[in-house]
């Protein structure tokens, strides 16, 4: 694999020589057997920042597994890529444990505080108050990330939590040079950061974003990470850190209580698993909408003879499947602990048959014609990483603080930047969120409830090949991951999957968002003739993919070439 040095995204694929303990197990030839008993003998990580990837590699070299490495990567991203994820946010992960084939979805999503009040997100005239939804403590859900890291380490890791958090603590304490993405994010949100003294103190240097080459330390976050390392889950959710979080939030007009933090729990859920063209896709269930939508789309496409269609017709069927899946997203989905969802129906092949039949072979279906019930382009403000270790353990993690730098609110004395995930609820009926998504009562805000997410960390398991895949991108996460899965199943390698041009439809607004160059002139003409309105869009996600070819036992890792950040590096 070769990487262009101009990529400032990070990709690092480590070929860890199998130690003696593993040498005996390492197959001389790639066996044509279930991946359960197979081991790649080396490891690969693709993340959004080379310091985070290095942290994962460091922990693997200390004898950790993919899950310890995930803790190291996520916690380091919290320090070096705070615009995308962090201790004040939450994550969703799909993992597969090699020793017993256990597949599980780890839900470390934020929850609404008990005192959530939908009126707080309205102006006096009843119009949506977008500032409350997106900036400051009212926009922040109770974080899930620290609990998720402690959970992963305790239940799936081999090393103590303190060992896996050590690289993040060191980076926060000793400092690092913020990359251009972080510097730009700080410049973009400088006006909001200035509203909160602890945020300005943490992120602004002389009132401005740090200059290139600045050595940047984060001593408060180093201390919070150290407490988490020593005390585990309770270190964040009870005691000194929890008290500081609550008092900072309440002093700035928020409504968190210590009971909200003490009551936070990680949830393990059964992933959605769907067969498609000889592969099994293992992906995120509610409270993500991603897996349901991906499964619905694949079920619709399964009955289309794609090989017999020209390019424009294939795209047409994919768009129509996206449209129908997002219609259902808006109508039905929310936190499974709070709402009953017709998942059996949505995931059923018979339901997909009906939807497929409603697709006209040569014409777009206007969304207004489908019975049911303007978007902002999200930047790369969420992060995804993928890991496969030498034993074949694998994990796909998508982590977020929602919008760039989340709520921009840092809780004084903790170094913790809070998310603005409350905007992922359907806060005001009939009004879209920052990604243009609509929702129903199923996604209305209620204390203790998880807000619906599009995060779609996924595994694609085949007899001969496996992929670990995911991306940020707000509502486009779902369609980007879907297109990545289809590309992998079509035989593309990791670099081609992340580089592939993208398109997106989310039911409303009724248009196809297109990346420049995704369709040639003939396809564009044909799609327009069918009635599609094509809408140029940028940016597009930040996909990080690891693939494993079981026949050669080769691992490959690739990072999205669209996002300049850090240094490209392959070992
Ligand atoms: O959970 C979600 O769906 C969103 N909070 C993700 C936000 C995101 O991907 C922003 N990045 N572009």
């Amino acid at each position: 694999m070769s990487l262009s040095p101009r990529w400032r995204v990070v990709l690092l694929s480590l070929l860890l020589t199998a130690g003696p303990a593993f040498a005996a197990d390492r197959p001389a030839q790639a066996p044509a057997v279930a991946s359960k008993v197979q081991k790649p003998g080396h490891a690969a990580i693709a993340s959004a920042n080379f310091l985070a990837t290095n942290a994962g590699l460091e922990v693997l070299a200390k004898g950790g597994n993919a899950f310890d490495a995930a803790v190291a990567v996520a916690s380091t991203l919290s320090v070096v890529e705070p615009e995308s994820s962090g201790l004040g946010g939450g994550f969703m992960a799909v993992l597969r444990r090699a020793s017993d084939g256990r597949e599980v979805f780890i839900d470390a999503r934020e929850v609404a505080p008990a005192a959530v009040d939908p009126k707080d997100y309205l102006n006096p005239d009843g119009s949506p108050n977008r500032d409350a939804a997106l900036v400051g403590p009212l926009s922040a859900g109770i974080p899930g990330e620290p609990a998720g890291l402690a959970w992963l380490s305790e239940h799936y890791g081999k090393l103590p939590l303190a060992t896996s958090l050590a690289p993040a603590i060191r980076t926060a304490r000793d400092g690092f040079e913020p990359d251009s993405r972080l510097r730009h994010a700080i410049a973009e949100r400088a006006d909001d950061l200035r509203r909160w003294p602890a945020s300005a103190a943490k992120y602004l240097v002389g009132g401005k974003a740090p200059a290139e080459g600045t050595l940047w330390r984060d001593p408060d976050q180093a201390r919070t990470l150290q407490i988490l390392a020593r005390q585990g889950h309770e270190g964040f959710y009870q005691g000194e850190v929890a008290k500081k979080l609550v008092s900072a939030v309440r002093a700035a007009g928020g409504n968190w209580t210590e009971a909200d933090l003490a009551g936070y729990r990680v949830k393990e859920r059964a992933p959605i698993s769907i067969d498609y063209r000889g592969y099994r896709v293992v992906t995120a269930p509610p409270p993500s909408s991603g897996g349901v939508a991906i499964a619905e789309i694949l079920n619709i496409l399964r009955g289309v003879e794609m090989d017999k269609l020209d390019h424009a017709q294939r795209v047409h069927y994919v768009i129509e499947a996206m449209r129908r899946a997002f219609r259902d997203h808006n109508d039905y989905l929310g936190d499974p602990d709070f709402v009953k969802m017709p998942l059996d129906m949505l995931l059923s092949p018979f339901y997909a048959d009906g939807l497929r039949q409603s697709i006209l072979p040569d014409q777009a279906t206007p969304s207004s014609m489908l019975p049911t019930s303007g978007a902002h382009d999200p930047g790369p403000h969420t992060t995804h990483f993928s890991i496969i270790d030498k034993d074949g353990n694998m994990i796909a993690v998508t982590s977020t603080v929602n919008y760039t730098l989340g709520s921009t609110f840092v809780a004084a004395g903790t170094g913790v930047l809070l998310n603005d995930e409350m905007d992922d609820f359907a806060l005001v009926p009939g009004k879209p969120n920052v990604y243009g998504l609509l929702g129903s009562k199923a996604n209305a805000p209620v204390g203790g409830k998880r807000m619906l997410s599009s995060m779609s960390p996924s595994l694609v398991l085949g007899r001969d090949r496996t992929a670990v895949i995911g991306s940020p991108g707000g509502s486009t996460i779902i369609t980007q991951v879907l297109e990545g899965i289809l590309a992998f199943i079509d035989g593309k390698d990791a670099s081609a999957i992340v580089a592939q041009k993208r398109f997106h439809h989310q039911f409303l607004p009724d248009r196809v968002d297109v990346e420049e160059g995704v369709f040639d002139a003939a396809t564009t003409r044909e799609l327009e003739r069918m009635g599609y309105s094509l809408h140029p869009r940028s940016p597009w996600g930040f996909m990080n993919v690891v693939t494993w070819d079981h026949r050669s036992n080769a691992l490959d890792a690739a990072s999205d070439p669209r996002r300049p950040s850090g240094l490209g590096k392959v070992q």
Side-chain angles (χ1 to χ4, degrees):
M1 183 184 57
S2 68
L3 258 190
S4 156
R6 80 189 153 75
W7 283 12
R8 297 172 67 197
V9 291
V10 168
L11 155 70
L12 206 151
S13 167
L14 173 74
L15 303 182
L16 273 180
T17 318
F22 294 101
D25 299 334
R26 191 173 174 182
Q29 277 187 323
V33 294
S35 55
K36 198 169 134 188
V37 294
Q38 197 180 8
K39 298 181 178 190
H42 48 278
I45 299 176
S47 95
N49 187 291
F50 77 98
L51 292 169
T53 301
N54 278 345
L57 298 175
E58 182 181 321
V59 161
L60 288 174
K62 286 195 173 132
N65 62 15
F67 314 123
D68 298 304
V71 173
V73 172
S75 54
T76 303
L77 287 171
S78 151
V79 177
V80 300
E81 201 200 25
E83 72 273 27
S84 296
S85 73
L87 294 184
F91 72 81
M92 292 180 163
V94 173
L95 67 81
R96 183 171 202 282
R97 185 165 59 192
S99 59
D100 58 359
R102 177 172 171 73
E103 290 166 0
V104 67
F105 175 69
I106 308 288
D107 172 354
R109 180 70 162 164
E110 300 90 328
V111 300
V116 63
D117 183 350
K119 288 198 288 300
D120 286 341
Y121 304 96
L122 295 175
N123 291 314
D125 67 358
S127 61
N129 181 341
R130 301 301 295 143
D131 190 67
L134 286 165
V135 189
L138 275 177
S139 69
I142 304 300
E145 183 101 3
L149 298 181
W151 183 275
L152 262 183
S153 173
E154 184 185 336
H155 295 273
Y156 296 94
K158 284 165 66 182
L159 299 176
L161 178 61
T163 308
S164 301
L165 292 178
I169 295 170
R170 195 182 59 228
T171 307
R173 188 192 56 217
D174 299 348
F176 67 100
E177 290 182 15
D179 65 14
S180 64
R181 284 191 307 122
L182 175 52
R183 287 185 277 108
H184 284 125
I186 294 172
E188 184 193 323
R189 302 297 311 266
D191 286 345
D192 286 323
L193 291 165
R194 271 186 212 108
R195 290 163 63 177
W196 326 106
S199 308
K202 174 165 172 173
Y203 290 108
L204 302 176
V205 181
K208 291 205 190 111
E212 188 171 2
T214 308
L215 182 73
W216 203 50
R217 293 193 177 86
D218 192 353
D220 284 345
Q221 185 159 215
R223 219 175 101 69
T224 298
L225 281 163
Q226 240 153 8
I227 297 171
L228 182 65
R230 269 200 300 270
Q231 299 173 20
H233 178 112
E234 281 73 28
F236 188 91
Y237 292 88
Q238 288 173 37
E240 178 199 345
V241 174
K243 280 192 190 345
K244 282 184 183 163
L245 289 168
V246 169
S247 74
V249 160
R250 296 188 76 86
N255 52 15
W256 290 15
T257 64
E258 286 182 39
D260 285 327
L261 283 160
Y264 184 84
R265 295 285 176 274
V266 170
K267 298 279 170 105
E268 288 210 349
R269 305 183 192 275
I272 287 178
S273 174
I274 167 156
D275 293 330
Y276 184 73
R277 285 175 48 198
Y279 286 81
R280 196 159 58 80
V281 179
V282 184
T283 182
S288 171
S289 56
V292 174
I294 287 171
E296 211 175 305
I297 294 168
L298 293 178
N299 274 336
I300 294 173
L301 297 180
R302 190 207 305 279
V304 179
E305 289 186 286
M306 297 290 254
D307 304 351
K308 299 204 174 136
L309 302 177
D310 68 25
H311 186 220
Q313 284 169 320
R314 284 201 301 273
V315 171
H316 163 62
Y317 276 99
V318 175
I319 295 171
E320 291 304 322
M322 289 174 176
R323 182 199 305 278
R324 284 153 179 78
F326 271 96
R327 187 269 312 259
D328 290 343
H329 162 290
N330 295 354
D331 280 2
Y332 295 117
L333 300 182
D335 180 347
D337 297 336
F338 282 73
V339 287
K340 276 208 175 341
M341 289 168 278
L343 289 186
D344 287 348
M345 174 189 93
L346 296 176
L347 298 173
S348 142
F350 300 111
Y351 178 65
D353 288 347
L355 293 178
R356 192 182 318 108
Q357 277 162 23
S358 73
I359 301 175
L360 300 168
D362 56 356
Q363 206 182 315
T365 313
S367 292
S368 56
M369 300 284 287
L370 288 178
T372 89
S373 67
H376 188 106
D377 284 345
H381 317 314
T382 289
T383 199
H384 175 87
F385 61 89
S386 298
I387 304 179
I388 298 180
D389 72 14
K390 63 182 169 49
D391 292 322
N393 295 304
M394 54 188 83
I395 183 163
V397 183
T398 312
S399 180
T400 187
V401 288
N402 198 25
Y403 203 68
T404 312
L405 287 168
S407 64
T408 69
F409 182 84
V410 173
T414 66
V416 176
L417 173 70
L418 302 187
N419 67 83
D420 58 353
E421 225 75 62
M422 294 299 284
D423 189 54
D424 277 349
F425 278 119
L427 288 177
V428 183
K431 298 291 181 198
N433 76 354
V434 75
Y435 307 112
L437 287 172
L438 293 158
S440 66
K441 246 179 119 176
N443 190 31
V446 175
K449 187 176 173 186
R450 283 154 154 87
M451 56 295 284
L452 193 63
S453 173
S454 302
M455 292 192 285
S456 311
S458 300
L459 313 177
V460 192
L461 306 169
R463 196 176 150 278
D464 295 333
R465 295 161 73 236
T466 289
V468 182
I469 185 167
S471 179
S475 53
T476 69
I477 292 174
I478 298 171
T479 48
Q480 294 188 53
V481 173
L482 169 86
E483 288 162 45
I485 292 170
L486 293 175
F488 175 70
I489 291 176
D490 279 343
K492 290 202 176 149
D493 67 15
S495 306
I497 293 167
V498 297
Q500 172 177 266
K501 302 274 187 188
R502 298 168 185 157
F503 60 93
H504 169 80
H505 195 294
Q506 63 178 48
F507 183 67
L508 291 174
D510 189 351
R511 66 178 195 218
V512 187
D513 288 344
V514 290
E515 184 169 14
E516 196 183 345
V518 63
F519 302 135
D520 61 20
T523 304
T524 301
R525 257 195 321 275
E526 184 58 11
L527 289 170
E528 283 172 348
R529 192 197 58 73
M530 290 181 195
Y532 291 108
S533 137
L534 305 188
H535 182 269
R537 176 189 192 123
S538 179
W540 284 89
F542 193 158
M543 190 174 277
N544 282 296
V545 173
V546 172
T547 58
W548 172 15
D549 189 321
H550 304 205
R551 295 158 300 194
S552 59
N553 251 347
L555 292 186
D556 195 4
S559 216
D560 204 311
R562 293 166 182 80
R563 300 274 171 233
S565 166
L567 299 169
K569 197 169 160 195
V570 177
Q571 255 183 11

